[in-house]
Amino acid sequence: EPVTPDVTLTAQSRAYGAGVSIATSGIVAAFRIRARDRFGNAKTVGGDVFRVLLAGTKAIKPDVTDLTTGDYAVNYTAQLAGVYPAYIRLGDSIVGGKAGDDTFTPYNPLVEAGNTSGTKCTPAGLLSTAPAGVLYTFSIQARDKFGSARKSGGDMFNVLLKQTGLVLAAVVEDLGTGRYIVSFTPVQTGPFSIEIMHVGVASVSNANITNSPYGGAVLPGSAN
């Protein structure tokens, strides 16, 4: 005769699926909760009321769907990148938790930034003046549509120094970390503008980054 599982015990229950470990901002992530009794037997019917809180950069309280099979489906969409400790509760107890410790959870999904959005990328180290004949450098931080910083490279940026009668293409170095180093050596004194464009791929259009173009002036360099 089949054994009927006992009441659900959080210490034996578990969460599983990709979304309990990794997710991408702006994209639906999913995982499931498997209810088990104190002997580790998987429940075969629903009826438990699990509550989930993802306590990350911006807390999320996803809905939990009872699949009536002993499994419970959880879907969530995080907008900001970061680590989101997942507290899965049944009553006051945490699934996979430690007795007497209501701050511990074994589930800490990492939400990574989504695809680069050119209009959200930001520069750092831009100066309004530059001496002629001296290497000028600054950086670009790639960001997704929610403004989260990307942690990997692979994007392409076109950076142009524009002056009267002169257009100079800058060198852009991909650091592989989501940051890009831009360098050029201005030679002509006078006003300039720096145009920084993210080069789109597939269905993504080219786009100037935040506040591009930037203005400034090239000053005479040091006398030899």
Side-chain angles (χ1 to χ4, degrees), residues 161-168 187-193 216-218:
L161 171 67
K162 295 184 176 181
Q163 295 180 277
T164 302
L166 177 67
V167 177
L168 177 65
V187 294
Q188 176 177 294
T189 58
F192 70 73
S193 69
V218 177

Side-chain angles (χ1 to χ4, degrees), residues 84-195:
Y84 286 73
Y87 294 94
I88 306 167
R89 288 184 168 89
L90 180 63
D92 294 328
S93 299
I94 298 173
V95 170
K98 296 178 179 179
D101 185 352
D102 61 1
T103 64
F104 174 81
T105 173
Y107 307 112
N108 294 277
L110 171 64
V111 176
E112 298 180 333
N115 292 332
T116 300
S117 171
T119 58
K120 295 293 185 178
C121 299
T122 53
L126 267 173
L127 301 176
S128 59
T129 59
V134 176
L135 185 68
Y136 181 105
T137 64
F138 64 93
S139 65
I140 301 168
Q141 175 63 61
R143 299 182 182 276
D144 69 11
K145 65 180 180 180
F146 300 107
S148 292
R150 285 181 52 79
K151 303 298 184 183
S152 59
D155 288 299
M156 182 177 294
F157 292 90
N158 285 340
V159 181
L160 299 177
L161 171 67
K162 295 184 176 181
Q163 295 180 277
T164 302
L166 177 67
V167 177
L168 177 65
V171 174
V172 181
E173 179 187 1
D174 184 348
L175 298 182
T177 61
R179 290 183 66 242
Y180 299 77
I181 301 298
V182 180
S183 60
F184 59 85
T185 302
V187 294
Q188 176 177 294
T189 58
F192 70 73
S193 69
I194 298 176
E195 181 181 283

